[in-house]
């Protein structure tokens, strides 16, 4: 098994109400990345990605563009040890 890593991501910009979470979920599932995504009350989107380093890096790169209707201003990332996320879901 390849080394797993965890990325905790905060995305700012016009990222709510533009299918950002649904596109994040779909992309994560395509890349076999576990974790979750949710809207924050301050207008940002928060996400956690766990998987192979390659797949997690691909998700972080994807966040800089996000869904077609999104306008991303910034992406903050903190890497850490995996905590055993299983599957990928949208948190409400």
């Amino acid at each position: 098994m390849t080394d797993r890593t965890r990325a905790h991501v905060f995305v700012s910009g016009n990222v709510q109400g533009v299918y950002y979470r649904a596109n994040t979920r779909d992309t994560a599932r395509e890349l076999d990345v576990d974790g979750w995504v949710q809207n924050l009350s301050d207008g940002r989107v928060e996400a956690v990605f766990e998987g192979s380093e390659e797949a997690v890096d691909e998700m972080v790169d994807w966040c800089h563009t996000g869904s077609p209707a999104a306008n991303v201003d910034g992406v903050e990332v903190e890497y850490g040890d995996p905590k055993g996320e299983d599957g990928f879901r949208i948190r409400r």
Side-chain angles (χ1 to χ4, degrees), residues 33-48:
V33 170
D34 299 313
W36 49 266
V37 62
Q38 69 183 357
N39 284 341
L40 297 176
S41 59
D42 64 6
R44 294 181 301 164
V45 168
E46 177 183 18
V48 163

Side-chain angles (χ1 to χ4, degrees), residues 12-55:
S12 56
N14 181 25
V15 291
Q16 291 190 10
V18 292
Y19 300 103
Y20 195 95
R21 292 175 302 163
N23 281 279
T24 301
R25 176 197 60 209
D26 296 345
T27 305
R29 287 178 176 169
E30 284 172 22
L31 294 173
D32 198 26
V33 170
D34 299 313
W36 49 266
V37 62
Q38 69 183 357
N39 284 341
L40 297 176
S41 59
D42 64 6
R44 294 181 301 164
V45 168
E46 177 183 18
V48 163
F49 306 123
E50 285 190 7
S52 70
E53 289 184 24
E54 186 179 351

